Amino acid sequence: MKPHWRDDFPLIVERGDVAYLDNAATTQKPQRVLEAVRDYYRCTNANVHRAAHRLSDDATRAFEAARQTVAQRINARTAKEVVWTRGTTEAINLVAAAYAPLVLGEGDEVLVTELEHHSNIVPWQLACARYGATLRAVSVLPSGELDMADFQAKLREHTKIVAVGHVSNALGTVNDLETIIALAKAVGAAVVVDGAQAMAHFDVDVQALGCDFYAFSGHKMYAPTGIGALYGREEMLQAMPPWQTGGEMIERVRIEATTYAALPFKFEAGTPNIAGAIGLAAAVDYLNDIDFAAAQVHEADVLAYATASLQQVEGLSIVGTAPHKGPVLSFVMDDAHPHDVGTLLDQQGVAVRTGHHCAMPLMDRLGIPGTVRASFSLYNDRDDVNRMVAAVRKAGTMLVA
Ligand code: PMP
């Protein structure tokens, strides 16, 4: 039986010709998100926080209510701890630009992992270069799990920041954040979590996790592109200087000096993505209203079914076999470049991602140029998997021939 959530996604219904298995890159949008964005532009559009007119008040109220909705979803203590960004990349860059200078100096270290997306590596490389610190990376085991002994060995009093993904976009590995955060806290390091791949599939409670920062993107959790958020613990955000500057983030500007707006506006220079924030709140409302636990069970079933099915295909190896995974399935085929496999799947109406998945250090560690990656969502089902497996088998024969 088709999962009933399918009906909520117009593109999935209308594009039945495609088995969309590229959800780790971006998800499709439910009808209510499309409507929220459209209705905002049709009925409420105005700039926020500024004008003395009713439309602007309405837009501001909707925009700030969206922040509240997101704060509640992640259990932030207050909406002040939610800073709008363009997405995960910008959120991590914000921390690297505004927090790193407070703590990094000569001899200090930032600890990332070999599992990370480039957007949780490159900002730290730049910050380390700027402040004389060193970037180190925790090794990954062949299963795609972090080598926790290596993590403990590399974690020391000079480690000022630990930056780690919640769920790997390339392999699906779910990291043991509880242990990682406890160990990092024991040496006094701040913890930045890249939650890009977690928000659509798991309940995230930033207070229970105890992380200092948590970054995520709307478009990977059924919301529009160009909007995301950084959760930061209030005292951390208070201590940090602004990063981008201009309008919206000020309290009083004189030519001689400027005072800054209160949280979270201090970090939100310029006109924000108002429609995006409203769309993100609509996506959160959607996740709050569905039976999220049932969706998780369904996604786990699709992942398990896909794993078992692909294991039957000769010459195919699954990459990433951690016991706890998000709905991501990476694989390679003997004597075939992932791009060629991806092209042949596309010709058969199966949309997957191929390549290094913005995780080149991980591919280097695994000794492969890339993988073919199928990533699932609540609207995928066993039929999509069957289509993929048939297409993979056919691609196998074509590539050998
Ligand atoms: N981190 C991870 C784990 C990701 O999967 C992605 C997106 N592929 C990003 C960061 C970057 O997200 P965005 O491009 O939305 O900023």
Side-chain angles (χ1 to χ4, degrees):
M1 210 176 70
K2 296 271 176 211
H4 62 83
W5 302 290
R6 260 181 116 79
D7 299 334
D8 302 332
F9 292 81
L11 184 143
I12 293 294
V13 172
E14 285 159 28
R15 293 299 306 269
D17 55 324
V18 178
Y20 185 75
L21 302 178
D22 196 17
N23 294 286
T26 200
T27 55
Q28 301 304 338
K29 318 305 173 199
Q31 181 69 27
R32 67 193 281 182
V33 168
L34 303 179
E35 280 172 10
V37 172
R38 188 201 58 187
D39 290 350
Y40 166 72
Y41 278 123
R42 283 179 59 152
C43 310
T44 320
N45 180 50
N47 211 331
V48 290
H49 300 142
R50 290 182 202 176
H53 59 79
R54 214 174 314 159
L55 264 185
S56 174
D57 278 350
D58 292 348
T60 303
R61 247 193 305 275
F63 182 66
E64 290 307 323
R67 195 189 306 271
Q68 192 71 47
T69 300
V70 168
Q72 277 165 3
R73 177 78 193 169
I74 59 172
N75 195 29
R77 284 165 210 83
T78 139
K80 285 190 280 188
E81 295 183 319
V82 173
V83 177
W84 297 122
T85 65
R86 281 194 293 129
T88 308
T89 305
E90 191 173 59
I92 296 172
N93 273 276
L94 192 170
V95 184
Y99 179 72
L102 299 183
V103 292
L104 288 188
E106 213 59 56
D108 288 327
E109 294 181 354
V110 174
L111 188 55
V112 297
T113 86
E114 291 176 347
L115 262 183
E116 300 314 307
H117 189 280
H118 297 159
S119 57
N120 202 22
I121 298 174
V122 185
W124 304 115
Q125 277 174 338
L126 256 90
C128 285
R130 195 165 289 151
Y131 306 113
T134 304
L135 183 68
R136 310 190 85 207
V138 178
S139 305
V140 171
L141 299 169
S143 63
E145 291 167 278
L146 290 181
D147 179 344
M148 290 305 284
D150 191 51
F151 178 69
Q152 295 209 46
K154 287 183 174 145
L155 189 66
R156 36 180 146 188
E157 70 193 85
H158 291 299
T159 311
K160 294 294 157 62
I161 297 170
V162 171
V164 61
H166 194 163
V167 180
S168 159
N169 66 306
L171 306 183
T173 314
V174 179
N175 288 323
D176 178 2
L177 285 187
E178 205 177 304
T179 304
I180 289 169
I181 292 169
L183 290 169
K185 291 282 141 192
V187 300
V191 181
V192 185
V193 180
D194 171 352
Q197 295 296 335
M199 290 292 292
H201 308 294
F202 299 100
D203 287 308
V204 172
D205 179 334
V206 291
Q207 290 191 63
L209 282 174
C211 57
D212 299 288
F213 300 99
Y214 194 98
F216 57 97
S217 301
H219 71 98
K220 294 186 197 280
M221 52 182 293
Y222 314 117
T225 49
I227 188 72
L230 174 71
Y231 156 81
R233 266 199 307 121
E234 187 175 352
E235 54 271 39
M236 308 292 262
L237 294 177
Q238 284 298 4
M240 287 155 55
W243 74 313
Q244 295 173 346
T245 59
E248 286 277 317
M249 50 74 67
I250 54 89
E251 179 190 56
R252 178 75 168 90
V253 179
R254 293 186 178 79
I255 295 299
E256 297 73 31
T258 292
T259 53
Y260 306 122
L263 288 181
F265 311 112
K266 180 170 78 170
F267 296 108
E268 295 179 355
T271 299
N273 182 353
I274 306 162
I278 287 165
L280 177 49
V284 169
D285 286 339
Y286 177 75
L287 290 174
N288 288 341
D289 288 351
I290 64 170
D291 185 342
F292 193 64
Q296 288 178 307
V297 169
H298 171 74
E299 288 180 353
D301 172 74
V302 172
L303 175 67
Y305 180 71
T307 305
S309 305
L310 283 184
Q311 275 166 344
Q312 309 299 317
V313 178
E314 214 173 305
L316 183 150
S317 312
I318 289 171
V319 184
T321 52
H324 191 199
K325 281 177 59 169
V328 172
L329 190 52
S330 255
F331 60 92
V332 290
M333 293 176 77
D334 290 350
D335 306 321
H337 195 282
H339 290 318
D340 295 334
V341 179
T343 304
L344 290 171
L345 296 195
D346 177 52
Q347 285 168 5
Q348 298 173 76
V350 177
V352 294
R353 177 85 153 220
T354 63
H356 52 68
H357 313 296
C358 299
M360 285 184 184
L362 175 63
M363 298 299 136
D364 290 345
R365 159 64 64 185
L366 299 173
I368 51 178
T371 73
V372 182
R373 180 189 72 187
S375 50
F376 307 103
S377 181
L378 42 71
Y379 39 71
N380 294 122
D381 58 11
R382 289 181 174 216
D383 284 349
D384 292 326
V385 173
N386 292 337
R387 276 177 76 174
M388 174 180 70
V389 174
V392 164
R393 285 187 188 282
K394 190 158 170 207
T397 60
M398 291 166 84
L399 286 165
V400 166

